[in-house]
Amino acid sequence: MHQPSSTLSRLRESALRTLQIEQAAIGGLQGKLDENFDRACELMLACQGRVVVTGMGKSGHIAGKLAATLASTGTPAFFVHPGEASHGDLGMITRTDVVLALSNSGETSEVTALLPLLKRLGTPLISMTGKPGSTLAKHADAHLDSGVEREACPLDLAPTSSTTAALALGDALAVALLESRGFTADDFALSHPGGSLGKRLLLRVRDLMHGGSRLPQVALGSPLRDALLEITRQGLGFTCVIDNEGRLAGVYTDGDLRRTLDQFHDLREVTVDEVMTRPGKRIGPDILAAEAVRIMEDSRITALAVVDEDQRPIGALHMHDLLASGVI
């Protein structure tokens, strides 16, 4: 049903107020970062096992997301439900692990019930709460203060600002650990092999290029007619032009043909040397396919010659190959 404009305005006002409150909540975290953050990072970097993240209710949802973020950025981690932990799942936690427990109040019974068991194991505990004086905070080896002045909920009841702040602080923790470990894009790709993200990070030019008999090439000094036939035969929109030592001297493309037609009325006596692009865009076989996309877009071209260390053509890469592979 169509809503009156005045109603829509009130809805937008409510949304803006929520965003402003949550923005302020995240901004307030900056003044709360202290040596406890360093200590938490040190414990997680020194961990010989896994980081076990736990939390109840909405904090549990944030904890699950944080565990996934940590695991995908170089810090092995998994989520354990605190209620299940007291009924057998505590066996998942060992003395070589580190536990990261989330609770806005710091008094969540299902979480605080784990304290005696963790102390008995000697497992280091990092807490993230909105109450530095809470039970969970006081018994932790490091406490991360995620406290907010108020919830975005007008009743100041539903977890909104507090969960947003915990999520942001968790991301800050994950990124700090990522940078400390020297985590790279290749490392990230290993934990994201599926989908377009994995393809962008894992696929290299050699995985997609056309080589062997599919490599379009003509010799330097060849009649332009031969170059045009090679472009048509291979269907990649260009051909490599090879010198006497087998190195790439230049390329001749569909775009070059249009310029050639403007310059010459009779193409029968024209050689490819006269009209080719020198030295021609080229790329190495071990370059990420995503980087090839950037080069093509920046140069406004649709194909690249792939060369080895001696600048000898070994393949050809077309934008269509990148599209078909899901890199774009």
Side-chain angles (χ1 to χ4, degrees):
M1 182 183 296
H2 177 71
Q3 297 290 327
S5 58
S6 58
T7 301
L8 289 175
S9 178
R10 287 197 298 273
L11 294 172
R12 285 195 297 270
E13 287 177 2
S14 175
L16 286 171
R17 184 171 59 252
T18 298
L19 293 174
Q20 289 166 356
I21 293 172
E22 297 204 351
Q23 182 180 40
I26 294 175
L29 294 176
Q30 297 177 50
K32 299 177 186 293
L33 292 178
D34 56 17
E35 63 278 359
N36 275 282
F37 188 88
D38 297 334
R39 176 61 177 154
C41 289
E42 290 167 359
L43 287 170
M44 296 170 82
L45 288 168
C47 178
Q48 297 299 307
R50 300 287 188 271
V51 174
V52 182
V53 193
T54 189
M56 196 72 186
K58 303 298 187 296
S59 292
H61 294 303
I62 301 301
K65 186 272 180 188
L66 179 51
T69 300
L70 289 169
S72 69
T73 53
T75 299
F78 63 92
F79 172 77
V80 169
H81 192 287
E84 299 295 337
S86 296
H87 296 276
D89 282 5
L90 193 66
M92 297 180 179
I93 306 173
T94 72
R95 63 180 67 253
T96 62
D97 297 328
V98 170
V99 172
L100 172 58
L102 280 65
S103 167
N104 186 42
S105 68
E107 304 293 347
T108 305
S109 58
E110 292 88 348
V111 178
T112 57
L114 305 179
L115 290 174
L117 303 169
L118 295 177
K119 295 301 179 182
R120 192 172 182 179
L121 280 174
T123 303
L125 172 65
I126 301 167
S127 64
M128 184 186 296
T129 82
K131 303 289 189 297
S134 64
T135 300
L136 190 59
K138 287 193 284 189
H139 286 86
D141 297 283
H143 174 249
L144 303 176
D145 186 354
S146 60
V148 299
E149 289 188 8
R150 58 172 173 152
E151 300 288 3
C153 165
L155 302 176
D156 199 25
L157 294 175
T160 44
S161 301
S162 59
T163 49
T164 299
L167 182 64
L169 187 55
D171 285 343
L173 190 62
V175 172
L177 294 171
L178 177 155
E179 292 180 348
S180 294
R181 296 183 192 280
F183 198 73
T184 67
D186 285 345
D187 296 323
F188 192 80
L190 293 176
S191 57
H192 296 77
S196 60
L197 177 60
K199 290 176 181 176
R200 289 199 301 271
L201 293 172
L202 286 173
L203 284 177
R204 299 188 180 274
V205 169
R206 69 166 62 254
D207 300 318
L208 301 175
M209 71 182 190
H210 301 276
S213 61
R214 287 299 318 278
L215 171 61
Q217 56 183 325
V218 295
L220 200 62
S222 297
L224 180 58
R225 177 179 179 277
D226 291 354
L228 296 177
L229 288 173
E230 183 70 353
I231 292 174
T232 302
R233 184 173 69 88
Q234 299 292 10
L236 296 177
F238 86 111
T239 183
C240 298
V241 182
I242 313 301
D243 66 17
N244 293 333
E245 297 180 350
R247 294 188 174 90
L248 182 66
V251 297
Y252 190 74
T253 70
D254 289 341
D256 291 325
L257 174 58
R258 289 188 289 273
R259 288 185 286 273
T260 302
L261 291 172
D262 288 336
Q263 186 178 356
F264 296 91
H265 295 296
D266 187 353
L267 303 182
R268 287 175 294 181
E269 301 301 322
V270 180
T271 65
V272 72
D273 312 42
E274 300 175 68
V275 290
M276 71 182 186
T277 298
R278 299 174 185 264
K281 290 291 180 182
R282 58 194 71 193
I283 196 170
D286 294 320
I287 301 299
L288 288 173
E291 176 67 7
V293 174
R294 186 192 64 77
I295 293 172
M296 289 184 187
E297 290 177 340
D298 290 348
S299 304
R300 297 180 182 275
I301 58 177
T302 58
L304 282 167
V306 184
V307 298
D308 63 16
E309 293 179 355
D310 295 322
Q311 300 304 302
R312 289 183 169 86
I314 58 174
L317 182 68
H318 196 277
M319 184 69 79
H320 290 164
D321 304 316
L322 298 165
L323 285 166
S325 69
V327 174
I328 301 176

